Amino acid sequence: MNKYIDKSIKLTEHFSLSEMCTTSVQTADHNFPSQEVITNLKRLAKWLEMLRDEWNKRYGEGNDPIYIHPSIGQ
């Protein structure tokens, strides 16, 4: 466990380590990820970037939130 990891670092252009480690659950390690977890989060963030790019191609770029459940935001 490394409590000196800078959570503000960017995993990709649009995703930071901080937002991938945010939780309302208190953990014994204060939710500091191991190097193995950071490696997996980088892989996830790369996939999310591809998903984001595809979304933007299909629906256009914008600042509107994406609602997963149809009843939310109506």
Side-chain angles (χ1 to χ4, degrees), residues 33-71:
S34 66
Q35 289 300 331
E36 181 180 3
V37 170
I38 292 172
T39 299
N40 286 328
L41 288 172
K42 285 180 181 179
R43 289 177 50 224
L44 173 63
K46 286 179 185 177
W47 181 83
L48 290 171
E49 285 288 350
M50 291 188 309
L51 183 64
R52 183 180 189 278
D53 289 342
E54 186 62 31
W55 176 273
N56 289 341
K57 285 179 198 172
R58 290 182 185 199
Y59 305 107
E61 296 184 35
N63 294 323
D64 297 329
I66 300 169
Y67 296 109
I68 304 300
H69 193 276
S71 66

